[in-house]
Amino acid sequence: MATLEIKDLRAGVTTDEGRKEILKGVNLTIRSGETHAIMGPNGSGKSTLSYAIAGHPKYEVTSGEVLLDGESVLDMTVDERARAGLFLAMQYPVEVPGVSMSNFLRTAATAVRGEAPKVRQWVKEVKDEMTKLEIPAEFAERSVNEGFSGGEKKRHEILQLALLKPKIAILDETDSGLDVDALRIVSEGVNAYKDSGDAGVMLITHYTRILRHITPDFVHVFADGRIVESGGKALADELEENGYVKYVGTTV
Ligand SMILES: Nc1ncnc2c1ncn2[C@@H]1O[C@H](COP(=O)(O)OP(=O)(O)OP(=O)(O)O)[C@@H](O)[C@H]1O
Ligand SMILES: [Mg+2]
């Protein structure tokens, strides 16, 4: 069992024009076994929330708490957060020229698991997961995300998820830019991860189509830096129908 508690989280950035508050008091609890979909207008702060939890240095937390099983995540380094069981699949995955996918995955798995995986077992594990995600073998020797298409990058995020098996996974628009077949494959990857253990998922998305493959237990509307409404799956359909008009401009 794992629980991620986000309590009154406030965070922002410092720009040339000064301080900019982006998160304005986010409250959310995700328990293992639960999938929470976060939906909201562009620029409302969804990616900032994921970065603040993962520990991106650009985003300064000004108040509030993020607890993983009662431990303060905000006091941990980025590495420690990953080792504690947090995973972020980024909206725009970064390219790392000169580092092969296979080296990157092994290094990450070694860090998260606390010991280097046995070579033969590891090769099989990676190969199996790549096959499931229909990722051609040659990608293992390509530099991390370099020159990958949008959809290829997203599949590789799920490959990491499958291999690292975090307690809590934050998936930031993992469905964006996927063709229908890739959407199904990626969704199956997320569902397999959910089924493989007691995992909690925060799924940031703009589209209900992924929610036909991955069933959310909760849907939250994110507007102007915080969650302004929560409900079940039906809320996603309502948002698709009516948009965010009723939520925008209503927050302080
Ligand atoms: N490093 C930064 N410098 C200046 N402004 C920033 C920075 N990062 C985020 N912002 C601003 O904060 C707001 C929230 O951005 P964020 O990326 O979190 O939105 P989002 O909800 O993920 O949007 P989208 O749905 O388009 O992905 C935006 O107005 C954005 O321009
Ligand atoms: Mg975003």
Side-chain angles (χ1 to χ4, degrees), residues 160-183:
Q160 291 172 47
L161 178 71
L163 293 167
L164 302 179
K165 296 193 178 58
K167 289 181 186 168
I168 303 282
I170 300 169
L171 309 178
D172 192 358
E173 298 202 23
T174 297
D175 52 334
S176 291
L178 295 180
D179 66 43
V180 279
D181 296 323
L183 181 69

Side-chain angles (χ1 to χ4, degrees), residues 12-15 20-23 40-51 56 58-59 91-92 172-173 204-206 222:
V13 288
T14 306
T15 66
K20 177 174 175 168
E21 286 307 313
I22 303 173
L23 300 185
N42 292 134
S44 54
K46 304 178 299 299
S47 293
T48 300
L49 174 63
S50 66
Y51 283 137
H56 192 302
K58 183 99 195 147
Y59 299 88
Q91 183 174 3
Y92 302 106
D172 192 358
E173 298 202 23
I204 299 170
T205 184
H206 284 293
F222 202 93

Side-chain angles (χ1 to χ4, degrees), residues 46-57 59 78 86-96 104 144-145 149-161 169-178 186 202 204-205:
K46 304 178 299 299
S47 293
T48 300
L49 174 63
S50 66
Y51 283 137
I53 299 168
H56 192 302
Y59 299 88
V78 174
L86 282 176
F87 173 86
L88 167 62
M90 285 188 280
Q91 183 174 3
Y92 302 106
V94 287
E95 302 192 358
V96 191
F104 167 75
V144 176
N145 288 323
S149 75
E152 287 165 353
K153 285 181 183 169
K154 299 290 172 173
R155 275 187 215 214
H156 278 83
E157 297 284 292
I158 302 305
L159 176 61
Q160 291 172 47
L161 178 71
I170 300 169
L171 309 178
D172 192 358
E173 298 202 23
T174 297
D175 52 334
S176 291
L178 295 180
V186 158
M202 183 196 293
I204 299 170
T205 184

Side-chain angles (χ1 to χ4, degrees), residues 8-106:
D8 196 31
L9 188 67
R10 292 166 193 270
V13 288
T14 306
T15 66
D16 293 343
E17 284 83 51
R19 201 60 224 145
K20 177 174 175 168
E21 286 307 313
I22 303 173
L23 300 185
K24 301 174 183 172
V26 181
N27 288 292
L28 178 65
T29 298
I30 299 179
R31 294 183 182 83
S32 45
E34 295 176 351
T35 298
H36 294 249
I38 310 266
M39 308 184 83
N42 292 134
S44 54
K46 304 178 299 299
S47 293
T48 300
L49 174 63
S50 66
Y51 283 137
I53 299 168
H56 192 302
K58 183 99 195 147
Y59 299 88
E60 305 148 45
V61 172
T62 43
S63 68
E65 281 187 304
V66 180
L67 306 173
L68 180 60
D69 294 333
E71 300 261 322
S72 174
V73 164
L74 301 176
D75 296 333
M76 299 178 193
T77 63
V78 174
D79 282 26
E80 286 167 345
R81 295 178 201 213
R83 278 200 293 273
L86 282 176
F87 173 86
L88 167 62
M90 285 188 280
Q91 183 174 3
Y92 302 106
V94 287
E95 302 192 358
V96 191
V99 176
S100 73
M101 223 42 239
S102 69
N103 271 337
F104 167 75
L105 290 170
R106 196 169 153 79

